[in-house]
Amino acid sequence: MKPLHVICCIAILFFAFMAGITVYSVNAEYHQLTKVRLSYAQKDENAYSIPLSAMYTDTEGRNYLFLVLEQEGAWGKEYICKKVLLAYVNFDESQGRITVKEPLLSKYPIADKSERDLEDGERVRFSKEMVAE
């Protein structure tokens, strides 16, 4: 066999190996992301109604929720949690919902429930069976 053929065979095997490792590592990283259930705000007069389970309270007593934003990543679409502080909150415990005045709720889904505690800017994943109506 000629030396050029040997070098070409080694190069082809190297690139095939690297492609396989890349696919494996991207898939493994995806499965380590926190899985969230999405919910959507319902418009009520001047405000939005969201499930009580979507709201969190920090150590300083401020209420917040996580919006799920879509952005382009290196390997396609990525979903990022963005922490949004809520200025106005009206509780309706009988319905299990709260009313908030936040205009971003009309544009983005909300992380209703998650496998683990979420952080601002964290990449997340979701599946159709976890999407709330």
Side-chain angles (χ1 to χ4, degrees):
M1 194 183 272
K2 295 181 181 179
L4 184 59
H5 290 299
V6 172
I7 292 172
C8 287
C9 289
I10 291 172
I12 290 170
L13 288 173
F14 172 76
F15 285 117
F17 177 74
M18 292 305 291
I21 292 297
T22 301
V23 169
Y24 175 79
S25 64
V26 168
N27 191 35
E29 180 184 9
Y30 174 78
H31 286 291
Q32 290 178 355
L33 297 176
T34 303
K35 189 183 279 190
V36 297
R37 184 176 85 175
L38 297 181
S39 183
Y40 296 90
Q42 297 173 351
K43 180 100 168 123
D44 289 344
E45 297 171 11
N46 304 4
Y48 294 92
S49 173
I50 62 171
L52 188 58
S53 60
M55 190 186 74
Y56 302 91
T57 304
D58 64 12
T59 56
E60 297 172 11
R62 297 179 298 187
N63 296 318
Y64 64 94
L65 54 79
F66 288 102
L67 297 180
V68 180
L69 309 176
E70 181 181 290
Q71 68 183 30
E72 282 298 318
W75 299 102
K77 293 181 181 176
E78 295 180 340
Y79 300 94
I80 309 294
C81 283
K82 175 161 177 51
K83 184 178 181 178
V84 176
L85 293 174
L86 302 173
Y88 168 81
V89 178
N90 183 18
F91 293 91
D92 184 0
E93 305 235 358
S94 64
Q95 297 281 330
R97 299 185 73 78
I98 57 174
T99 304
V100 298
K101 289 186 178 179
E102 177 56 54
L104 289 174
L105 294 176
S106 65
K107 298 178 183 176
Y108 302 106
I110 304 160
D112 186 359
K113 294 187 181 186
S114 64
E115 291 178 320
R116 300 182 285 269
D117 291 338
L118 297 172
E119 294 182 21
D120 191 27
E122 179 179 358
R123 290 176 43 216
V124 295
R125 68 184 174 112
F126 55 90
S127 61
K128 291 182 181 177
E129 61 265 8
M130 287 197 72
V131 176
E133 295 300 324

